[in-house]
Amino acid sequence: MHVDKNLGAPSSIPSWYHEYSPLKRNCTYGRQVIISCLLAAALAAPPPLLKLDPKEPIPILAQSNILNEDGTFQNSYESADGTKAESSGTLKDLGDKEGPSSIIQGSYSFITPDGQLFELRYIADENGFQPQASFLPVAPPIPEEILKSLAYNAAHPEEDNLRK
């Protein structure tokens, strides 16, 4: 029979049990979980912004330029201040005398001084430059009276000739 040191009373629990008790194992396991969570959070956090002197050039961390014989291309870069840009292009024959036109799509992003990420995606083709980004201003809707006037003008082109 084992005597408990703290109480001086007989105990049926052997002394070696306390070294390997479930409570002790759970505390160790809990510490491992906490340390793992902290490590995961630290690794998942965005890299700290590099504080650069405004007079110093910003280092380029990565850059790629690929120009193929058929006129297609891909390029990208990333700089130390968090700016990233990438684009790719192809040639498209629009049937005009000037030859094929470039169709380019891409994106760029940058981090503002207060840490916000701004990203813009775009396509440039026969319809012009078409950017898409949440930070771009949106035009107000065209008033109904103007829409009616434009529709009337489109339906009556002969009245435009009267003014000449």
Side-chain angles (χ1 to χ4, degrees):
M1 180 178 302
H2 176 71
V3 176
D4 190 337
K5 295 175 189 174
N6 295 332
L7 301 176
S11 170
S12 60
I13 301 173
S15 62
W16 58 265
Y17 178 78
H18 295 291
E19 291 181 33
Y20 303 101
S21 73
L23 182 59
K24 192 167 191 172
R25 281 190 305 227
N26 286 342
C27 287
T28 303
Y29 178 72
R31 287 184 193 128
Q32 290 174 344
V33 169
I34 290 171
I35 291 170
S36 297
C37 290
L38 291 173
L39 182 61
L43 293 174
L49 291 177
L50 185 61
K51 299 294 183 193
L52 299 170
D53 182 354
K55 297 177 184 175
E56 291 293 319
I58 299 170
I60 300 298
L61 303 177
Q63 184 174 5
S64 171
N65 290 308
I66 301 171
L67 180 58
N68 301 310
E69 291 181 19
D70 63 357
T72 60
F73 72 89
Q74 294 176 331
N75 61 42
S76 64
Y77 75 87
E78 179 178 356
S79 62
D81 67 352
T83 301
K84 296 178 185 177
E86 62 181 43
S87 64
S88 62
T90 61
L91 294 175
K92 182 178 179 183
D93 187 7
L94 300 177
D96 59 11
K97 297 177 187 174
E98 296 178 15
S101 295
S102 294
I103 308 297
I104 302 170
Q105 61 184 2
S107 66
Y108 63 86
S109 62
F110 58 93
I111 300 171
T112 63
D114 63 349
Q116 291 183 16
L117 175 67
F118 280 62
E119 183 174 11
L120 182 132
R121 297 194 172 281
Y122 64 88
I123 186 165
D125 58 12
E126 67 272 13
N127 298 315
F129 181 74
Q130 303 157 54
Q132 295 178 345
S134 61
F135 61 87
L136 292 176
V138 178
I142 300 173
E144 188 64 33
E145 297 81 16
I146 301 296
L147 289 173
K148 287 178 184 178
S149 176
L150 291 172
Y152 179 85
N153 290 346
H156 301 91
E158 70 280 354
E159 292 183 20
D160 284 339
N161 293 335
L162 296 176
R163 295 188 185 135
K164 290 183 181 178

